[in-house]
Amino acid sequence: MTDVDIDDLRSRIAPLVANIDPERTDEITEGLLTVAERWAPALGLVGTGRPDQGTAYLITYGDAFRREGETPLHTLASVLRDHVRDAVTDVHLLPIYPWTSDDGFGVVDHRQVNPELGTWKDIADLRADHALALDFVANHVSASSPWFQGWLAQDPRYAGYFLEPGPDFDVSRVVRPRVTPLLHQFERPDGSIAKAWTTFGPDQVDIDPSTPAVLYDLTDVLLGYLAHGATTVRLDAIGFLWKESGTRCIHLPQTHDIIRIWRTLVDALAPGTQLLTETNVPHADNITYFGDGSDEAHMVYQFALPPLVLHAFVTGDAHVLAGWASGIGPVSETATWFNFLASHDGIGIRPTEGLLTDDDRALLVQRTLARGGRVSMARRPDGSEGVYELNTNFLDALVEPGDPDPDASAVARGLAAHAILLSVIGVPAIYYHSLLGSGQDRVGMEQSDIARRINREVLDADVLEQELTSSARRSGMLEGLRHLLTVRRALPGFSPFADQEVVHLDDRVLVIRRAPNTEHEVTAAVNVSGDTVTLPSLSGQDAISGLQVDGLTLDPYGYAWLIGGTVDS
């Protein structure tokens, strides 16, 4: 392998493989190295390097925008070029592969682009303006995929690809994100019945990476994405990857070792590439995917941030958010947080365990339902059900029911919420519907009876063009966020690796010092309430407005980034 010390790579991978399968360590190690050798000539220094204060991701579907006569991926590139431009550096494409369910996550073929979206050439064209993040759905495939259909047909090529637990396999402690059955029955071509593990539902069948051929295939898919130009790979639902009888079947040591294997390969073959883990779980479990800060994920989703920010605006009180943020700091020189408020999924509630009370969570549920959203449930190991996520549009959820001017309120509160997103330590990611000021798609949700569709509307690109001129909500969010992102890019204190210190001055205002006590210090202050709040102890130049401040006064939902001043707590 060019410029890669194969013996060194072998020595680093073998101990990790030994943790997974000590009896076949040499076999599996050599198999992984064979996959690496196959892709090495197409890789090299393809990564973009360590993120900085200018790094910002846009989260979007490949068909988020449509225009007659164009492939959706081509239309997406056009919309980004015309309206988003350099406000974001990276585009995270949600699954672009042929699929049968869950708007892309029931993957039929990991290695192909869905022809209804475009081609790999369209992906390459998109990379002309932005770095690329691709989804890697490693945990499961569609029940219609060749892998699963081959397994059902008992093709030797796919022997062991899927888990069919016997009666001695203890599933009593398994953690579920859904209320559907854990196992589903499938008919084989010969008429016999197979039972397969289905964490997320009957059309998303879990793969079994304890079979070496499966691990090779998954590794091949991952490195193939890098060869196609991905500089970030999101490991979807990765916590569920490995199953063991009698365990919770989530966050198992073997899953962490597989991530370590992939991190080792990626750092060696494509240095600068970012591995991003997606684990919608309580904070203490979520952060385990950093490993020791250098050997697992480069970035971990900050799942507690969306519900805590929403809670702050619903209550007009940021003290819970501030208390949590006080415990968040730098991870390492190569690892940091991936911050977001809205995404293609709902607002996860499990990450608030230990952070919000039951009454706090009930407030968020009430707001979601009052604004026309839904609430999705998950089954606990004891058989009971609990709230898993809120299905709503984040901007709409910020607005109180009965507000006389909901669009103006959505913009004011939406920009304030995103000022928090852009201030806390880590790399920011903005969902396309937030950037463009979209509202919730209740029609799409009700017609499909899929709760998450409330925030997955496909936009007509030509209609959007007009609305960006005629709609104050759309133009207000886009221009406001473009300005914040432009200002942020010039402030090294917002480096994803710079420290943060929370200053408690008023419960209605979140105050965070970034890069404190350095020449790059920035003091971010965001008012989450409808009150005008004065903070006499804050001074400096507001980088957002350009005004000099001697005693900061924030209007309702106002925000400032102060530089060159003082903070007297």
Side-chain angles (χ1 to χ4, degrees):
M1 292 188 292
T2 305
D3 298 326
V4 175
D5 185 332
I6 185 66
D7 290 329
D8 177 65
L9 193 55
R10 179 182 289 110
S11 69
R12 286 186 286 140
I13 289 177
L16 301 172
V17 174
N19 293 338
I20 296 172
D21 193 335
E23 295 182 359
R24 294 186 288 184
T25 298
D26 291 344
E27 171 197 341
I28 296 174
T29 299
E30 294 308 313
L32 290 168
L33 290 174
T34 297
V35 175
E37 288 181 299
R38 183 160 62 246
W39 284 110
L43 297 175
L45 296 173
V46 301
T48 55
R50 197 174 85 149
D52 60 22
Q53 73 275 8
T55 304
Y57 286 71
L58 178 71
I59 305 170
T60 181
Y61 282 99
D63 64 348
F65 311 100
R66 290 202 177 253
R67 180 180 286 127
E68 188 175 353
E70 294 180 355
T71 63
L73 285 170
H74 179 84
T75 303
L76 171 63
S78 174
V79 170
L80 295 179
R81 192 174 301 116
D82 291 344
H83 301 294
V84 179
R85 298 186 288 279
D86 62 353
V88 299
T89 55
D90 295 63
V91 175
H92 168 209
L93 286 176
L94 294 161
I96 56 172
Y97 325 110
W99 57 278
T100 53
S101 63
D102 199 16
D103 291 333
F105 288 90
V107 179
V108 173
D109 189 339
H110 287 83
R111 295 181 172 95
Q112 300 297 322
V113 175
N114 183 350
E116 294 183 7
L117 297 181
T119 65
W120 283 114
K121 182 181 183 304
D122 289 309
I123 298 293
D125 291 343
L126 188 63
R127 288 193 290 110
D129 299 310
H130 296 92
L132 178 67
L134 290 180
D135 249 293
F136 180 20
V137 186
N139 180 71
H140 51 264
V141 296
S142 165
S144 299
S145 71
W147 290 6
F148 187 63
Q149 289 300 310
W151 178 80
L152 280 179
Q154 298 178 299
D155 182 339
R157 163 73 173 83
Y158 300 104
Y161 264 58
F162 300 89
L163 183 62
E164 188 174 16
D168 295 334
F169 197 106
D170 179 4
V171 299
S172 62
R173 298 180 58 208
V174 172
V175 172
R176 297 298 314 287
R178 300 287 186 272
V179 295
T180 53
L182 177 62
L183 305 177
H184 278 86
Q185 294 186 348
F186 299 89
E187 185 175 355
R188 296 187 184 277
D190 64 6
S192 63
I193 299 298
K195 283 187 177 181
W197 195 291
T198 51
T199 295
F200 292 93
D203 191 48
Q204 292 169 287
V205 190
D206 289 45
I207 302 166
D208 185 2
S210 68
T211 300
V214 174
L215 185 57
Y216 306 153
D217 251 330
L218 293 177
T219 303
D220 182 76
V221 169
L222 170 64
L223 297 182
Y225 291 164
L226 304 187
H228 279 295
T231 50
T232 301
V233 177
R234 174 183 181 267
L235 305 179
D236 175 71
I238 195 65
F240 298 97
L241 187 63
W242 196 278
K243 284 78 174 176
E244 284 277 313
S245 176
T247 73
R248 299 167 71 234
C249 293
I250 187 172
H251 315 315
L252 295 186
Q254 295 91 335
T255 294
H256 286 281
D257 281 314
I258 289 174
I259 296 171
R260 291 185 181 101
I261 289 169
W262 288 341
R263 169 72 182 256
T264 301
L265 290 171
V266 165
D267 282 352
L269 297 172
T273 298
Q274 305 291 301
L275 288 182
L276 166 64
T277 52
E278 187 266 339
T279 51
N280 188 357
V281 294
H283 184 73
D285 293 322
N286 191 32
I287 62 176
T288 63
Y289 287 87
F290 282 126
D292 68 5
S294 66
D295 64 347
E296 289 195 47
H298 298 86
M299 295 187 290
V300 164
Y301 270 82
Q302 190 60 281
F303 273 107
L305 186 64
L308 292 181
V309 169
L310 179 59
H311 174 263
F313 281 90
V314 168
T315 61
D317 187 330
H319 85 274
V320 175
L321 174 63
W324 166 81
S326 296
I328 304 299
V331 179
S332 75
E333 291 297 312
T334 61
T336 190
W337 310 93
F338 189 81
N339 298 321
F340 73 110
L341 295 178
S343 74
H344 60 293
D345 289 340
I347 300 170
I349 293 301
R350 286 199 66 211
T352 67
E353 293 176 11
L355 299 173
L356 295 179
T357 66
D358 288 343
D359 288 343
D360 290 329
R361 282 187 281 270
L363 278 177
L364 301 186
V365 169
Q366 291 167 12
R367 171 60 65 87
T368 298
L369 297 176
R371 296 289 289 143
R374 291 185 182 177
V375 175
S376 294
M377 311 298 286
R379 193 178 303 282
R380 303 186 181 102
D382 65 5
S384 64
E385 294 183 5
V387 176
Y388 180 70
E389 68 179 15
L390 310 175
N391 300 115
T392 184
N393 170 282
F394 197 87
L395 300 183
D396 284 344
L398 292 171
V399 179
E400 297 174 10
D403 188 297
D405 193 350
D407 285 346
S409 294
V411 172
R413 300 178 195 193
L415 290 177
H418 282 79
I420 295 174
L421 170 71
L422 298 178
S423 299
V424 295
I425 185 171
V427 175
I430 301 173
Y431 191 48
Y432 74 106
H433 280 311
S434 297
L435 181 69
L436 298 170
S438 300
Q440 53 194 8
D441 182 15
R442 293 174 64 181
V443 172
M445 175 183 69
E446 291 164 0
Q447 288 181 346
S448 65
D449 199 30
I450 297 174
R452 287 174 168 175
R453 288 270 176 92
I454 196 170
N455 205 28
R456 297 179 175 182
E457 183 180 9
V458 175
L459 301 177
D460 183 297
D462 294 325
V463 172
L464 174 66
E465 187 88 29
Q466 299 170 5
E467 290 178 344
L468 285 171
T469 300
S470 62
S471 167
R473 174 165 167 153
R474 287 208 186 278
S475 61
M477 285 303 300
L478 177 59
E479 294 309 314
L481 285 174
R482 280 186 53 83
H483 178 61
L484 286 174
L485 288 163
T486 299
V487 172
R488 187 181 193 274
R489 190 181 308 133
L491 299 175
F494 282 135
S495 163
F497 304 95
D499 201 0
Q500 74 178 25
E501 175 187 303
V502 175
V503 183
H504 299 275
L505 299 176
D506 188 301
D507 283 346
R508 296 167 294 179
V509 181
L510 178 68
V511 179
I512 298 179
R513 297 172 68 197
R514 294 296 312 282
N517 304 313
T518 73
E519 63 177 320
H520 299 306
E521 179 174 336
V522 182
T523 298
V526 182
N527 183 0
V528 302
S529 77
D531 304 330
T532 298
V533 181
T534 297
L535 303 174
S537 61
L538 295 187
S539 67
Q541 183 182 28
D542 179 11
I544 297 172
S545 66
L547 299 177
Q548 189 67 32
V549 174
D550 186 11
L552 177 65
T553 296
L554 293 173
D555 292 332
Y557 310 110
Y559 45 88
W561 289 338
L562 301 179
I563 56 176
T566 60
V567 179
D568 182 6
S569 57

